[in-house]
Amino acid sequence: MCVSGLFFTISCKKRPEPQEVALEFMHAIQESNFERAKEFATKESQQVILLYSIFDGKRNENEREKIKNAQLKVVDHMEEGDKASVTILNSSASQQETLQLVKESGHWKISLTLESILPTYVAPPGMDMKSMAPGTLQDSSLMVPDSAVTR
């Protein structure tokens, strides 16, 4: 009986809530583990994560340590149908960041846009992130000063 109860508990594990997905995503970003971060993001967000990883590679060691040591705490969340938002307080920047999530194949996923990581970014006319293939982000017009990326 105990064995069947254990099997039932394991097989009935629920899917992560939006808050859990947001924290897992942010922890992966903290560790500069962008492959893991992609697991928590929509397919459309993959290029944004790639771009963010390029900016992350330009950080100095002090900035990287500050990010890794930051405490992350969910301070608010809202779920409405297949959309959700999770607000996280980042202790290193003493600011809140709201992540947007959508359901993709029944799982909550982070939905990123260029504007979500670069608030002052304005896309050139006709630019479509969905159609960009990996490695096409080499254009220097897409690069912004490090100060615009540091939070």
Side-chain angles (χ1 to χ4, degrees):
M1 180 112 149
C2 289
V3 174
S4 64
L6 178 63
F7 176 75
F8 181 74
T9 303
I10 293 170
S11 66
C12 293
K13 184 178 179 187
K14 66 179 185 125
R15 293 183 176 170
E17 296 293 323
Q19 311 86 286
E20 297 166 311
V21 172
L23 280 175
E24 288 293 327
F25 174 80
M26 291 298 289
H27 287 301
I29 294 292
Q30 265 186 311
E31 296 296 320
S32 299
N33 187 343
F34 301 106
E35 288 307 309
R36 177 134 171 84
K38 287 179 183 180
E39 295 173 21
F40 300 103
T42 63
K43 288 179 175 98
E44 289 79 20
S45 300
Q46 305 300 308
Q47 290 296 331
V48 178
I49 293 171
L50 175 63
L51 182 60
Y52 185 83
S53 71
I54 292 168
F55 293 127
D56 185 70
K58 298 182 181 296
R59 294 185 197 276
N60 66 42
E61 207 47 47
N62 289 337
E63 290 173 321
R64 212 173 244 117
E65 276 304 307
K66 183 178 178 183
I67 290 169
K68 283 184 181 182
N69 294 326
Q71 297 296 312
L72 302 172
K73 177 182 173 185
V74 172
V75 293
D76 193 20
H77 70 281
M78 183 276 309
E79 187 177 328
E80 191 172 302
D82 286 350
K83 294 184 179 185
S85 64
V86 176
T87 303
I88 295 178
L89 176 62
N90 178 336
S91 69
S92 72
S94 297
Q95 68 183 26
Q96 294 182 5
E97 181 173 352
T98 301
L99 298 171
Q100 303 302 316
L101 294 91
V102 296
K103 276 198 177 172
E104 187 175 85
S105 302
H107 296 274
W108 287 109
K109 300 285 184 168
I110 302 294
S111 178
L112 298 173
T113 62
L114 280 175
E115 294 80 15
S116 67
I117 66 165
L118 304 171
T120 60
Y121 176 80
V122 176
M127 181 177 170
D128 179 14
M129 283 299 290
K130 293 178 186 175
S131 66
M132 294 180 75
T136 61
L137 296 174
Q138 310 285 324
D139 182 356
S140 62
S141 67
L142 295 178
M143 300 298 165
V144 296
D146 288 338
S147 61
V149 179
T150 306
R151 294 179 188 241

